[in-house]
Amino acid sequence: MNFSEVFKQSNQLCRVSPDGKYLATCVQYRLVVRDVNTLQILHLYTCLDQIVHMEWSSDSLFILCAMYKRGLVQVWSLEQPDWYCKIDEGSIGLVSSRWSPDGRHILNTTEFHLRVTVWSLCTKAVSYIKYPKACQKGIDFSRDGCYMALAERRDCRDYVSVFVCDDWHLLRHFETETQDLAGVEWSPNGCVLAVWDSCLEYKVLLYSLDGRLLSTFSAYEWSLGIKSLAWSPSSQFLAIGSYDGKVRILNHITWKKVTEFDHPASINNTKAYALTLYYSSSIVPVVKPDLDRANPKVGVSSMAFSSDNRYLATKNDNMACVVWVWDMQRLGLLAVLEQTSAVRCFQWDPRRPRLALCTGNAKLYLWSPAGCVSVQVPAEGGFQVQSVTWHCSGDSLILLGKEQLCLCYMEVGEEEEEEEDDDDVK
């Protein structure tokens, strides 16, 4: 591996453009755009206040910078550096801002979720969508960019509206069988919309594009329920992470549970191996959560499928130092990656079955079926990796610290040459 020099960044705002050519970072109120290969500065933009959210348009031609406290959004052009757009929501405020799939409309959600405002960069037209619900994931676009699902709350009831993104007309509107809808998410193929209830009610509902209820799944009652949800890239599996420390896998044919993955404190499985490759019984460190406090550290909060659908990585919050890797062909445990510190972030390579993770220290950890490796980040000043993001090519990684970033370049064929390095693990 090779590492770049260290650059400044603020609020973990660092994004690679969708076409993979540019790297945008925010430093307080400045937006810096670099060539991703040379890391030379191509553009430097100055915003009106400190940037708290930044996002590329889908065609990599525009960058959105949001300043929520001032209710402002500024948009910058890479093709015309002197051009810019300013959107001021005024006294109604701003809590979130995002691009539409076409990269020519901006969706702003106002304070108290009074409405979603759709601004057109082409025609300067403005549209308003009422009743958006304040929830975990209230808006989701289908992968092909054709449809938008919006969670709504009207007359103390939950609804979902499906809009056509070309002209924002309403395609479907239906009430959901939820007590307190927490999120909506399209399957990658855009055929099914998953809707789930709050953690107080274990319920996942699966709807077709025309609003028909395909299936309902509930694992248990009278206890904290769903904490996370993830589709496999092929749309064949839906993984549901729960507060009981289990992951339940639904299949796309019957929408019934095909298996469930537990996260036991004691592992005695010769077919799975820990990061130290001990083929024997292993004890996983468990932290007892304080159930009297809000948001207890318990349950499966993070899940991610590999790009080839073969593996699923999970993290159970009361076992914060461990990432579990499951084989989706065998439907069983494959590897247990045990660290000495809590895992901050993990992400799959978008092209290969290779998992990167970090624990807030000066090392980067990688796992693949060929083995695992830990690498010291050779940056001065005690660079501590807080999060990792793969480049879309899978050839490099962006490592983010508290106020710095650097790039890690992978050598060709490195996934076949990975070797174990267990000096930082139990």
Side-chain angles (χ1 to χ4, degrees):
M1 299 179 191
N2 294 313
F3 292 84
S4 73
E5 60 181 297
V6 172
F7 302 98
K8 291 183 179 180
Q9 55 86 14
S10 301
N11 298 323
Q12 305 280 295
L13 293 178
C14 178
R15 306 285 187 270
V16 176
S17 59
D19 62 10
K21 295 180 180 179
Y22 309 106
L23 177 67
T25 57
C26 295
V27 183
Q28 302 299 330
Y29 56 90
R30 289 190 175 91
L31 172 66
V32 183
V33 180
R34 301 176 187 270
D35 183 288
V36 79
N37 293 317
T38 66
L39 297 180
Q40 295 298 310
I41 295 177
L42 301 177
H43 303 286
L44 181 62
Y45 306 98
T46 302
C47 293
L48 297 172
D49 204 341
Q50 181 167 337
I51 305 165
V52 295
H53 175 70
M54 178 260 289
E55 187 177 325
W56 285 93
S57 63
S58 57
D59 57 8
S60 304
L61 296 180
F62 297 94
I63 306 177
L64 174 157
C65 295
M67 294 140 274
Y68 293 150
K69 289 184 179 180
R70 293 186 57 172
L72 289 176
V73 174
Q74 288 184 267
V75 183
W76 306 96
S77 168
L78 263 67
E79 290 187 328
Q80 305 176 53
D82 295 332
W83 177 95
Y84 81 97
C85 167
K86 184 179 78 169
I87 299 173
D88 190 345
E89 292 289 352
S91 59
I92 200 168
L94 181 67
V95 295
S96 72
S97 182
R98 64 185 298 173
W99 286 104
S100 66
D102 67 0
R104 296 299 180 267
H105 294 80
I106 292 173
L107 283 73
N108 285 345
T109 303
T110 63
E111 283 190 341
F112 308 111
H113 283 72
L114 297 178
R115 70 188 185 202
V116 174
T117 309
V118 183
W119 300 84
S120 171
L121 295 186
C122 299
T123 66
K124 299 183 181 179
V126 182
S127 304
Y128 300 102
I129 303 175
K130 296 182 179 181
Y131 313 113
K133 183 174 183 180
C135 58
Q136 177 184 342
K137 189 175 183 179
I139 296 178
D140 194 41
F141 292 100
S142 59
R143 190 70 58 88
D144 59 9
C146 292
Y147 305 106
M148 180 185 79
L150 175 71
E152 299 179 355
R153 187 74 173 177
R154 305 186 185 192
D155 303 322
C156 300
R157 294 181 178 179
D158 291 329
Y159 296 85
V160 168
S161 287
V162 179
F163 295 87
V164 178
C165 295
D166 285 345
D167 55 7
W168 304 104
H169 78 265
L170 182 64
L171 179 67
R172 291 287 184 272
H173 174 73
F174 53 91
E175 184 177 355
T176 62
E177 300 176 11
T178 51
Q179 296 295 322
D180 184 12
L181 190 155
V184 297
E185 185 169 337
W186 292 101
S187 61
N189 62 13
C191 296
V192 179
L193 180 68
V195 176
W196 63 97
D197 221 320
S198 74
C199 63
L200 300 179
E201 184 82 14
Y202 199 120
K203 184 182 288 186
V204 176
L205 304 117
L206 297 155
Y207 293 91
S208 63
L209 182 59
D210 59 5
R212 290 181 296 111
L213 180 61
L214 301 175
S215 185
T216 302
F217 177 76
S218 178
Y220 52 80
E221 294 181 315
W222 316 118
S223 186
L224 291 178
I226 298 168
K227 192 165 189 177
S228 58
L229 183 144
W231 286 98
S232 67
S234 65
S235 304
Q236 292 177 301
F237 295 112
L238 177 62
I240 305 169
S242 311
Y243 277 88
D244 67 349
K246 295 182 180 181
V247 176
R248 293 165 175 87
I249 306 295
L250 307 187
N251 74 82
H252 73 295
I253 298 175
T254 64
W255 299 116
K256 303 297 182 183
K257 184 182 74 173
V258 293
T259 191
E260 65 181 33
F261 299 144
D262 200 357
H263 298 79
S266 180
I267 303 169
N268 188 10
N269 183 356
T270 57
K271 294 183 179 180
Y273 61 89
L275 194 109
T276 48
L277 302 183
Y278 290 153
Y279 288 85
S280 62
S281 180
S282 176
I283 303 298
V284 177
V286 179
V287 176
K288 187 176 181 180
D290 186 354
L291 299 179
D292 294 329
R293 302 183 65 178
N295 301 314
K297 291 187 178 299
V298 62
V300 181
S301 64
S302 302
M303 299 186 296
F305 283 93
S306 59
S307 59
D308 61 357
N309 299 282
R310 177 67 189 269
Y311 306 106
L312 172 67
T314 64
K315 177 188 170 187
N316 190 18
D317 279 355
N318 56 328
M319 301 173 176
C321 299
V322 181
V323 173
W324 308 68
V325 181
W326 309 87
D327 188 325
M328 295 305 297
Q329 288 188 359
R330 295 192 302 108
L331 295 178
L333 182 62
L334 177 64
V336 181
L337 315 183
E338 183 182 340
Q339 311 295 127
T340 56
S341 302
V343 175
R344 301 289 185 92
C345 171
F346 61 85
Q347 191 178 81
W348 288 101
D349 181 330
R351 299 291 180 88
R352 309 171 186 86
R354 180 168 53 181
L355 186 70
L357 59 98
C358 64
T359 63
N361 60 14
K363 290 197 173 186
L364 168 67
Y365 302 92
L366 293 169
W367 175 90
S368 79
C372 42
V373 64
S374 65
V375 181
Q376 182 78 27
V377 180
E380 297 181 359
F383 186 94
Q384 295 180 329
V385 187
Q386 304 294 318
S387 66
V388 297
T389 303
W390 285 96
H391 186 274
C392 56
S393 67
D395 295 335
S396 60
L397 276 159
I398 302 167
L399 312 181
L400 294 177
K402 291 182 179 179
E403 297 179 345
Q404 296 174 317
L405 71 94
C406 76
L407 269 67
C408 171
Y409 301 96
M410 311 297 292
E411 295 181 1
V412 177
E414 192 161 349
E415 66 273 13
E416 284 85 19
E417 299 174 4
E418 289 172 353
E419 294 180 356
E420 172 203 359
D421 182 350
D422 60 358
D423 60 342
D424 271 59
V425 298
K426 288 186 178 180

